[in-house]
Amino acid sequence: MLSIMENTSRNSQSMDARSARAALDAVSASRAAAATRIACPWWYHVGLGVTLALVFLSMSLRVASWAVPLLVGVVVALGWGVRRSTGVSLDRYTSTPGATLLFGVYVLAFLLLAATGMYLEWGADMHGAIGGAGLVIGAFTTAVGYRIDAAAQRDILAGR
């Protein structure tokens, strides 16, 4: 009688281990699927970079009063488009620790570049400085966007 109970107990533990392994495999598969889906299409990062560059150029050309609201609409449309195309809605810039770190560095660099451009344009009377800063910000935004996507994918695959 004791050996039947031990056998049943072993089968039950074996079944639980198989179930647990299957559940862990399902979680890994879900992570892999989520990691591939969160990557933005190429046009999102490029569109965001170009739009930010145009915002700063419009300040330099003194047409920001009508251009900036239009360009804010473009940013909103890009966000809507990326959610529709990926099927994933998340705060892609702070969704994982790696993405958050890169985004923090990006924000600091953005503020430094913007402040420098504004000071040079309005404080030192260097016409076109904001536009130049905007071009750098646009390129930087595009490059960092791809890196943030990659960091988020790595973090999701690693379970962070």
Side-chain angles (χ1 to χ4, degrees), residues 52-65 67-68 114 118 121-122 127 130-131:
L52 281 173
L54 290 173
V55 164
F56 284 90
L57 284 170
S58 73
M59 283 188 246
S60 190
L61 297 172
R62 311 294 194 264
V63 293
S65 61
V68 170
M118 288 177 185
E121 178 107 9
W122 295 321
H127 186 68
I130 295 174

Side-chain angles (χ1 to χ4, degrees), residues 75-134:
V75 170
V76 170
L78 284 169
W80 176 81
V82 80
R83 281 189 300 278
R84 296 247 326 144
S85 70
T86 62
V88 177
S89 179
L90 74 145
D91 186 0
R92 56 187 73 259
Y93 299 104
T94 58
S95 60
T96 65
T100 301
L101 177 64
L102 282 172
F103 184 62
V105 170
Y106 167 78
V107 168
L108 288 174
F110 178 97
L111 292 173
L112 180 64
L113 286 165
T116 301
M118 288 177 185
Y119 169 74
L120 290 173
E121 178 107 9
W122 295 321
D125 205 25
M126 286 182 65
H127 186 68
I130 295 174

Side-chain angles (χ1 to χ4, degrees), residues 36-55:
T36 58
R37 297 219 29 142
I38 67 161
C40 295
W42 69 269
W43 50 263
Y44 176 75
H45 296 300
V46 172
L48 196 58
V50 167
T51 303
L52 281 173
L54 290 173
V55 164

